[in-house]
Amino acid sequence: MKLSSETEMSMAVLAVVSVFCLCVTSVAGQYSTPSIQLISLYSAVSPGETVHISCDGIYNCQHMVCLYRNGASIMTQFCYPSQSNVTFTYSVVDASDTGRYICGVCSRFYKSSYIFITVVVLQKPSLSLETSKEVSWGQSVQMRCSIYTQHLVGTFTLQQLSGSFKGTKISTGTSALFTIPQVDFIHEGAYYCQYQTRVSTREFTSPQSDTASLYVIVVLQKPSLFLETSKEVSWGQSAQMSCSISTQHMGGTFTLQQLSGSFTETKISTGTSALFTIPQVDFIHEGAYYCQYQKRVSTREFTSSQSATVSLSVIVVLVQPNISLSAPDGGLFWGPQGPEVTRGHSLSLICSTEPQYPGGSFHLIFDGSNRTRTQLAVNHSASFYIPEADYSHQGNYSCVYEVTVSSRTFKSTQTASLTVTIKGSANRYGFHNGPGGHEEVENIYGDLEED
């Protein structure tokens, strides 16, 4: 049967379409889109870690398969006919490895969808002391930990290197400030800090910072020492000295120390000063003194420097004695120039002083001679007796008191002169020594006796 021309043409077109469809189906099967899969547990990794990536669904697998990062081929691997996938093992180097990863036959157009891998690089943070590295006990101290990173919202940790102190701060920035309100000696030592952040579902921790050292100190100022009494104190009297210090560490011990002597005394005080008393000063108390302050803070003892010295002088000031005249047998008269004694009558010259020190002696001085008569003091006085007055006894008399106090000898000032005038006929007698007296020279005052 002969076909018409139109029918022949229609059959030819159908044959061409059938061949084209067969070819397209064949090409589509040969060049199907592969898939990419991250075999490793995390898509966020640290430098130096290895990731495993699988490229699946490769038809007629007998080609080089490429792994691309951000559009650039970074690895190739041959796919054998028996395989339908390849696995790439890739070692991450640094942050530049962050990006989109795809795979596919290198020579074909069709590539997989992408996976995103983040390389988290945390630099070593820096730790700095916001306050001085030497902090007084009980004061506050601040340390700041900071880091340069794009991975914000993390946790800063401050850790004592050889101690128990640890503090954490959640921060949305690149630094955190740590405060220790009242430092104690347990806070002394080295500190470091670290930064921790979560990327994807994984925690990352930075290296430790360099250490910063903190020292806890107690500074005791130099105390001050004052003499509450005069710097010259009479022997046997009391002397007082006050030691004071400006400090917040009260309740310590003050010590008063003689610089070149054995005297030392301590006082526990609840305040900032202590009063020291020497009830009866002696010459061993003479000299320079200083004081110090000592305080236990926490478990340590601290001692201040020495105060400036103050000097104490022990003195003996004898009052000027008195001199008087008496005539036991009535031969005494008072004339225009003073006392007048009738020649031949007896007279007594009396030296006396105020009660200051026990014992001692009086010296009777007669200006008509360069000689001195001495007699021990009894009840703070001594009487020099002349049995019969003569013209040789006429003249000026004065007294000096002498006493030994704690191995040192002191003399008073000389009294004002007492002028004695002798009236009447002349008789001469020698010295008569009474009880308690002694004759230093012969016949210096005539008939002068000691009562």
Side-chain angles (χ1 to χ4, degrees), residues 296-311:
R296 176 181 286 273
V297 180
S298 188
T299 58
R300 299 187 192 178
E301 290 284 348
F302 293 88
T303 303
S304 72
S305 57
Q306 296 179 3
S307 70
T309 59
V310 297
S311 293

Side-chain angles (χ1 to χ4, degrees), residues 348-408:
S348 290
L349 293 159
I350 303 166
C351 295
S352 62
T353 188
E354 295 180 9
Q356 285 182 280
Y357 303 97
S361 59
F362 288 95
H363 304 289
L364 181 65
I365 302 168
F366 178 44
D367 65 0
S369 170
N370 59 355
R371 300 172 185 178
T372 301
R373 191 70 178 173
T374 300
Q375 186 173 338
L376 296 177
V378 179
N379 294 328
H380 310 291
S381 67
S383 179
F384 297 86
Y385 181 65
I386 301 176
E388 294 188 37
D390 198 359
Y391 294 118
S392 62
H393 301 127
Q394 181 172 288
N396 298 318
Y397 292 84
S398 59
C399 294
V400 171
Y401 176 64
E402 180 180 314
V403 68
T404 298
V405 179
S406 187
S407 74
R408 296 189 190 182

Side-chain angles (χ1 to χ4, degrees), residues 180-191:
I180 304 175
Q182 289 183 309
V183 296
D184 203 340
F185 298 112
I186 60 173
H187 298 124
E188 274 193 326
Y191 290 78

Side-chain angles (χ1 to χ4, degrees), residues 241 256-259 261-265 276-278 284-285 289:
M241 284 175 264
L256 179 66
Q257 178 70 55
Q258 195 175 15
L259 188 62
S262 61
F263 180 89
T264 183
E265 187 177 354
F276 296 88
T277 301
I278 304 175
I284 60 172
H285 297 124
Y289 289 79

Side-chain angles (χ1 to χ4, degrees), residues 409-425:
T409 300
F410 298 88
K411 287 185 178 182
S412 71
T413 57
Q414 190 172 326
T415 64
S417 295
L418 175 66
T419 301
V420 178
T421 303
I422 306 299
K423 298 287 188 179
S425 60

Side-chain angles (χ1 to χ4, degrees), residues 181-246:
Q182 289 183 309
V183 296
D184 203 340
F185 298 112
I186 60 173
H187 298 124
E188 274 193 326
Y191 290 78
Y192 67 86
C193 71
Q194 285 181 286
Y195 179 70
Q196 188 177 42
T197 186
R198 178 180 289 272
V199 180
S200 185
T201 59
R202 190 179 181 187
E203 293 286 346
F204 292 87
T205 302
S206 73
Q208 295 180 3
S209 70
D210 292 333
T211 58
S213 294
L214 176 66
Y215 302 93
V216 180
I217 60 174
V218 171
V219 179
L220 295 177
Q221 304 295 326
K222 183 168 76 171
S224 301
L225 183 61
F226 301 96
L227 273 164
E228 298 293 321
T229 48
S230 171
K231 67 178 181 179
E232 291 186 342
V233 181
S234 295
W235 183 93
Q237 300 300 307
S238 67
Q240 289 186 321
M241 284 175 264
S242 175
C243 184
S244 59
I245 191 171
S246 175

Side-chain angles (χ1 to χ4, degrees), residues 29-30 32 57-63 79-81 83-84 105 108:
Q30 188 176 5
S32 61
I58 304 173
Y59 178 80
N60 192 18
C61 192
Q62 51 183 346
H63 303 280
C79 181
Y80 294 93
Q83 297 175 296
S84 62
V105 176
R108 295 177 184 173

